[in-house]
Amino acid sequence: MENYKIIFSGPVGSGKTTAIETISDIPPVKTEAKASDEVRRIKENTTVAMDYGRIKLENGDVVHLYGTPGQERFDFMWEILTQEGIGLILLIDNSNPDPFKELNKFLLAFSEFIDSTSIVIGITRSDISPSPTTMEYHTHFGDIISHIPLFTVDARSRNDMVMLIEALLSSAESIQV
Ligand SMILES: Nc1nc2c(ncn2[C@@H]2O[C@H](COP(=O)(O)OP(=O)(O)OP(=O)(O)O)[C@@H](O)[C@H]2O)c(=O)[nH]1
Ligand SMILES: [Mg+2]
């Protein structure tokens, strides 16, 4: 039996806490506080330190799931939470006014971790805002994301979140080979 640690990150409201709630086998540990005015336009609560959950795979392996805060003022947690992680699931809220800018910001912030591990990207809230499409992400970012698995997902969907984890684990394995 193996133990893996993976990290969910991405901007405020992209669905990190929701994703971990959706798939965790145990009641997740959350550190949420009432959002300040700027965030309250999007939702009531925001993560201030971390989320934690756990999922047991069919082969018995256990995946420990850590969610970061989205707000940059808590970005000191990003480095702490990635330690010993084997990969990053980056969730991007497609209904954000500028999702390309948000993706760019997080790719830069996690660049060291991404370079030494693996990454998948999940585009959330596309039901609310279908544009940009996954094709438009690829056109805009070109080589920067051409090797990264990128899917349209809903953080409330267990199937979608399991697919992201499986995609991450299979690219992590191919890196280790
Ligand atoms: N319509 C729609 N709603 C979604 C989707 N994915 C997530 N949500 C909702 O969007 C909100 C996301 O909130 P959180 O999970 O708290 O977001 P977060 O990324 O943890 O945000 P911070 O902790 O503030 O950084 C929740 O209300 C989810 O139910 C989606 O694909 N479509
Ligand atoms: Mg959260």
Side-chain angles (χ1 to χ4, degrees), residues 38-145:
E38 180 199 345
V39 173
R40 202 172 303 147
R41 277 184 284 123
I42 310 173
K43 61 199 179 77
E44 214 169 302
N45 295 319
T46 189
T47 302
V48 294
M50 60 178 269
D51 304 301
Y52 172 74
R54 206 169 59 199
I55 181 171
K56 195 168 184 183
L57 303 180
E58 274 173 18
N59 64 4
D61 289 353
V62 175
V63 184
H64 300 271
L65 314 161
Y66 286 80
T68 74
Q71 290 187 64
E72 279 164 80
R73 63 191 171 117
F74 302 121
D75 65 3
F76 57 91
M77 287 302 297
W78 297 355
E79 200 178 332
I80 294 171
L81 291 174
T82 50
Q83 282 168 23
E84 314 280 316
I86 62 148
L88 179 70
I89 295 183
L90 203 48
L91 297 179
I92 298 295
D93 173 5
N94 219 37
S95 67
N96 182 283
D98 194 346
F100 290 164
K101 189 171 153 202
E102 295 296 312
L103 175 55
N104 204 32
K105 196 193 298 174
F106 278 82
L107 287 174
L108 272 178
F110 285 88
S111 60
E112 249 179 63
F113 183 66
I114 294 168
D115 287 348
S116 57
T117 62
S118 59
I119 172 176
V120 302
I121 299 173
I123 309 296
T124 59
R125 298 165 72 96
S126 291
D127 51 322
I128 296 170
S129 177
S131 171
T133 61
T134 53
M135 184 88 85
E136 285 164 340
Y137 275 90
H138 280 293
T139 307
H140 181 86
F141 284 94
D143 285 349
I144 299 171
I145 62 161

